[in-house]
Amino acid sequence: MLKLNIKNETSRLRSVVLGTAESNGPTPKLEDCYDPKSAEHVKAGTYPIEADMILEMEALAQVFKKYDVQVFRPEIITDCNQIFSRDIAFVIDNKIIRANILPDREREIEAINYVWNQIDEAHRIILPEACHVEGGDVMPWNDYVFIGKYSGPDYPNIITARTNTAAVNALKELFPHKTIKTFELRKSNTNAKDNALHLDCCFQPIGKGKAIIHKNGFLVEKEYHWLVDFFGKDNVFEITKDEMYNMNSNIFSISEEVIISEKNFTRLNTWLREQGFTVEEVPYAEIAKQEGLLRCSTMPLIRD
């Protein structure tokens, strides 16, 4: 049995589900893209190819091996994008919550059934169908759970809006001892630079009480200020619109001291090292073209 334990984003990682780029399928048709950034690359003829993405994910797997992290991979489904394991489920404390994601992606969950079945049945949660949530919007942070959501009246038409108020309320009931803090995210179906697909596309807490943040990802300015005050201005690394677009906030912590980051994030990686972090750099720029990066392709199960 797997004894799940996730209290935050930065405690020492012991066990993780890492997506796979194998049998990723052909370049999607424009009308089948779920986010504006993928659509942009389909139009430009620069959509990433499977072989490159497999190499990128392998580089990440090697870092996990180096730090002795147990890694689960999904079973391969032919012609299916299974890179972003964070979207399909997430862990808070000792419970795994299955995400209600876009119906087309239901098969991705079946591919990790062998992991799901190793978890105590009482700790496997499937939310009611009306609750929409993806793991990229959910961040356990000790006594808090930070959740990105979108509650505009046009929610049903915004394909980039992945987490709704019903899901937030369900999580409040599941974790009554936690403070659930929500943030309205800026959404755009058409402009990737004005779209925070998930909370982790514009914000992420890291070790030593620090955080990475992009102001424009937040629809309500005072919610952004709340986060800056929570971490303290001197502990926050503000990223630009272009850095957000390139997914600078979507890095991944192995521990309080060790962070996996994309090798092209020069400004961020320099700052992280100045703060005393060990930065493990990997190439991930091809995967980033699908509006997801390191946090999106990992789903932690156990941290110390």
Side-chain angles (χ1 to χ4, degrees), residues 79-148:
D79 287 348
C80 177
N81 184 337
Q82 293 177 272
I83 291 171
F84 299 120
S85 57
R86 181 77 64 157
D87 291 351
I88 56 180
F90 53 91
V91 176
I92 300 175
D93 290 352
N94 61 354
K95 294 180 171 59
I96 186 163
I97 294 114
R98 193 172 134 166
N100 286 343
I101 56 172
L102 303 166
D104 302 1
R105 299 185 59 186
E106 205 59 37
R107 291 185 305 162
E108 287 178 63
I109 296 167
E110 291 160 17
I112 60 161
N113 269 349
Y114 79 99
V115 178
W116 180 259
N117 294 334
Q118 290 178 57
I119 296 159
D120 179 348
E121 214 165 322
H123 295 154
R124 301 181 214 159
I125 310 291
I126 298 177
L127 297 175
E129 215 164 295
C131 301
H132 301 172
V133 59
E134 288 186 355
D137 275 327
V138 180
M139 287 185 191
W141 193 247
N142 307 313
D143 296 334
Y144 285 84
V145 181
F146 300 140
I147 303 180

Side-chain angles (χ1 to χ4, degrees), residues 291-303:
E291 210 153 343
L293 205 83
L294 296 154
R295 190 178 185 272
C296 292
S297 49
T298 49
M299 194 239 295
L301 302 170
I302 301 165
R303 291 183 183 270

Side-chain angles (χ1 to χ4, degrees), residues 12-72:
R12 176 65 162 92
L13 182 71
R14 295 294 171 198
S15 181
V16 68
V17 176
L18 171 63
T20 178
E22 281 184 49
S23 193
N24 200 256
T27 297
K29 292 193 187 80
L30 201 50
E31 61 270 22
D32 294 338
C33 290
Y34 298 131
D35 66 89
K37 195 168 176 185
S38 294
E40 206 175 279
H41 285 287
V42 168
K43 268 189 217 152
T46 50
Y47 194 81
I49 61 170
E50 185 180 302
D52 292 342
M53 294 192 289
I54 288 174
L55 285 175
E56 290 185 343
M57 297 202 85
E58 201 37 54
L60 178 53
Q62 287 306 317
V63 178
F64 288 140
K65 196 171 174 183
K66 175 178 172 180
Y67 287 91
D68 201 26
V69 174
Q70 178 187 28
V71 177
F72 295 98

